[in-house]
Amino acid sequence: MTDENLIKATCKELGLTYKQLGEAIGFSGDTLNNMASKPNDKLSVQLIRAIELYLETINLKKELEKLESLKAILKDLVK
């Protein structure tokens, strides 16, 4: 990501509010709202890691969906 605050950038990328992101990663929306105006080097390690893991989970779910689609296609071809 760029120099943009990680919270702002993540919410923008995913189309989420601070509250929605907070619920997904275990932080309050108010906490994220307050931290969204701070530089990235002022964010807690736990918050950064929670966002990284959330983004990784989303990417893994997308990959799993692709694999499930491929599995279904292969099943149809084998019939």
Side-chain angles (χ1 to χ4, degrees):
M1 293 200 180
T2 64
D3 289 338
E4 183 178 17
N5 177 281
L6 178 62
I7 298 165
K8 284 183 184 178
T10 302
C11 286
K12 188 185 301 182
E13 178 184 332
L14 300 176
L16 299 174
T17 64
Y18 296 142
K19 181 179 179 183
Q20 291 169 323
L21 178 60
E23 288 172 355
I25 64 171
F27 285 80
S28 74
D30 289 338
T31 297
L32 293 186
N33 190 35
N34 291 333
M35 298 303 290
S37 62
K38 301 197 181 302
N40 287 328
D41 64 349
K42 298 296 181 189
L43 301 178
S44 70
V45 173
Q46 293 86 356
L47 175 58
I48 292 170
R49 190 67 181 130
I51 292 173
E52 290 172 345
L53 288 171
Y54 182 63
L55 292 171
E56 184 177 351
T57 299
I58 289 172
N59 289 330
L60 288 171
K61 285 181 179 182
K62 287 177 185 175
E63 289 298 316
L64 182 59
E65 287 175 10
K66 289 178 192 175
L67 290 172
E68 290 297 330
S69 295
L70 179 59
K71 179 180 168 184
I73 290 169
L74 289 173
K75 250 186 185 177
D76 285 345
L77 288 174
V78 172
K79 288 183 182 180

